[in-house]
Amino acid sequence: YEAVIETNNEAVLCRRALSESGLLPDPYLNLFHIHVRSEPVSPLLKRGTFIRTKAIDRALLNLITGGVNQVIVLGAGYDTRW
């Protein structure tokens, strides 16, 4: 259980850093009142988060424009984009 929470917190840190830099704007991220430590994020983690986010966004947009009416996202954590 703790490992799952820590994974989510790491993702929030990466998304926050990318949002603050303007690379992946997320106007809803700061609405979460979670207690995530504030520390520098590894450039490698930020790069991985950026690439993964863009890949998921592209896949979902392709599905939606292809006529899919419903998508169920399992394990989305605090991802506010969809």
Side-chain angles (χ1 to χ4, degrees), residues 33-71:
H33 297 289
I34 58 173
H35 301 286
V36 177
R37 68 191 179 287
S38 183
E39 62 184 47
V41 179
S42 154
L44 184 60
L45 285 176
K46 286 193 285 190
R47 192 172 298 129
T49 298
F50 180 82
I51 292 168
R52 183 175 60 252
T53 299
K54 289 296 187 179
I56 291 170
D57 286 354
R58 180 175 290 172
L60 286 171
L61 287 173
N62 286 340
L63 287 170
I64 292 167
T65 59
V68 171
N69 295 321
Q70 183 176 13
V71 176

Side-chain angles (χ1 to χ4, degrees), residues 15-16 18-20 22-32 78-81:
R15 291 202 53 77
R16 183 186 300 158
L18 291 167
S19 181
E20 289 172 353
L23 290 173
L24 290 175
D26 188 342
Y28 304 107
L29 188 61
N30 289 327
L31 296 177
F32 287 108
Y78 287 146
D79 191 342
T80 61
R81 293 167 303 126

